[in-house]
């Protein structure tokens, strides 16, 4: 996508809405807790950004999400955040910022590749990739601070198993399902809206063309009347 096209007025407006959604959902509460299950909606606008604007759109929204998460970690809104920040601040910083940024970028990149053959399949691929890449990088980040993670592992369970079972649990599958089900649906709505906007623009263009043609026809008549 060319810079001029990427930073068009329409794209900037859509990105602004998605950026606000990312920040609000992550900062104010994009997670709904139902018993042991956490429904996290924060990754959905990142997936939409990747679908609509490709690599840079997904990366930008993912980066914004990562910054908000990092602030939450530093503030210590959750006990786990306090532990990893105090134990491994550098690794924690890179993990928070990179995991969603890379997830959005990869989703946007692969969407562009798959969309050349099938846009519907590309939408599902991009939507599913965001939680997958995000979780993989989170696990890698945890593995890069073994002493910190082991400090909250009193039973001495294998580090990788402990991360999967106690930290990641099945929330990943919930995030994956939410993204795959909701992101394509919302994207479809966006496409419908864009189609309606396109029709309005076409109608306005035709109206302007009609006015110009009418004005052009009236000019010869005016000249004839003067003569």
């Amino acid at each position: 996508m060319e810079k001029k096209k990427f930073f068009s007025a329409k794209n900037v407006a859509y990105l602004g809405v998605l950026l606000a959604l990312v920040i609000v959902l992550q900062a104010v509460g994009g997670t709904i807790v139902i018993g042991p299950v956490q429904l996290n909606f924060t990754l959905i606008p990142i997936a939409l950004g990747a679908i609509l604007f490709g690599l840079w759109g997904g990366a930008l929204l993912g980066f914004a999400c990562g910054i908000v998460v990092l602030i939450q970690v530093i503030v210590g809104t959750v006990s786990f955040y306090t532990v990893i920040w105090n134990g491994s601040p550098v690794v924690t910083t890179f993990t928070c910022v990179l995991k969603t940024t890379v997830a959005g970028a990869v989703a946007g990149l692969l969407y562009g590749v798959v969309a050349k053959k099938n846009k519907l399949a590309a939408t599902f691929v991009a939507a599913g990739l965001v939680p997958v890449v995000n979780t993989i990088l989170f696990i890698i980040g945890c593995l890069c601070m073994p002493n910190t993670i082991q400090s909250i592992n009193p039973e001495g369970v294998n580090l990788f198993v402990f991360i999967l079972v106690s930290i990641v649990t099945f929330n990943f599958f919930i995030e994956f399902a939410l993204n795959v089900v909701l992101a394509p649906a919302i994207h479809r709505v966006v496409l419908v809206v864009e189609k309606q906007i396109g029709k309005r623009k076409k109608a306005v263009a035709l109206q302007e063309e009609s006015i110009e043609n009418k004005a052009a026809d009236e000019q010869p008549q005016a000249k004839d009347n003067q003569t």
Side-chain angles (χ1 to χ4, degrees):
M1 183 179 293
E2 297 177 359
K3 282 187 176 181
K4 186 176 180 181
K5 188 177 180 181
F6 181 80
F7 289 107
S8 66
K10 184 184 73 172
N11 286 358
V12 170
Y14 279 138
L15 276 171
V17 172
L18 291 175
L19 184 61
L21 275 175
V22 167
I23 295 173
V24 170
L25 287 175
Q26 185 60 49
V28 178
T31 301
I32 299 176
V33 180
I34 305 176
V37 179
Q38 293 184 345
L39 305 180
N40 190 348
F41 296 91
T42 308
L43 299 180
I44 294 174
I46 298 176
L48 282 171
I51 292 168
L52 289 171
F53 308 110
L55 185 153
W56 294 110
L60 175 64
L61 294 168
F63 178 77
C65 180
I67 294 298
V68 176
V69 171
L70 179 60
I71 293 172
Q72 292 176 321
V73 168
I74 295 173
V75 173
T77 55
V78 180
S79 58
F80 174 71
Y81 289 167
T82 303
V83 172
I84 61 174
W85 177 252
N86 291 335
S88 306
V90 176
V91 177
T92 300
T93 299
F94 278 103
T95 301
C96 290
V97 176
L98 288 179
K99 64 187 182 70
T100 46
T101 302
V102 175
V106 171
L109 182 63
L110 287 186
Y111 174 82
V113 173
V114 180
K116 294 177 181 178
K117 295 184 178 180
N118 190 310
K119 287 189 176 182
L120 180 60
T123 300
F124 281 96
V125 168
L129 270 175
V130 173
V132 169
V133 175
N134 178 65
T135 301
I136 290 174
L137 292 179
F138 173 75
I139 292 172
I140 292 174
C142 289
L143 291 173
C144 290
M145 43 180 150
N147 294 332
T148 301
I149 300 300
Q150 287 290 11
S151 68
I152 57 175
N153 178 18
E155 298 181 2
V157 180
N158 176 271
L159 180 62
F160 184 70
V161 174
F162 176 74
I163 293 171
L164 288 180
V165 176
S166 300
I167 301 177
V168 175
T169 64
F170 53 87
N171 287 328
F172 158 73
F173 298 102
I174 302 298
E175 291 178 354
F176 181 83
L178 283 172
N179 263 48
V180 170
V181 171
L182 295 180
I186 298 174
H187 179 236
R188 185 63 185 172
V189 173
V190 172
L191 291 179
V192 171
V193 173
E194 286 186 331
K195 186 176 181 180
Q196 293 300 319
I197 293 174
K199 286 182 179 179
R200 290 180 182 178
K201 286 183 177 180
K202 186 176 181 180
V204 171
L206 290 173
Q207 186 177 5
E208 290 177 349
E209 184 180 353
S210 176
I211 293 173
E212 290 177 356
N213 291 336
K214 185 177 180 181
D217 291 339
E218 289 177 350
Q219 284 180 359
Q221 294 178 3
K223 290 181 179 179
D224 293 339
N225 293 333
Q226 289 178 358
T227 57

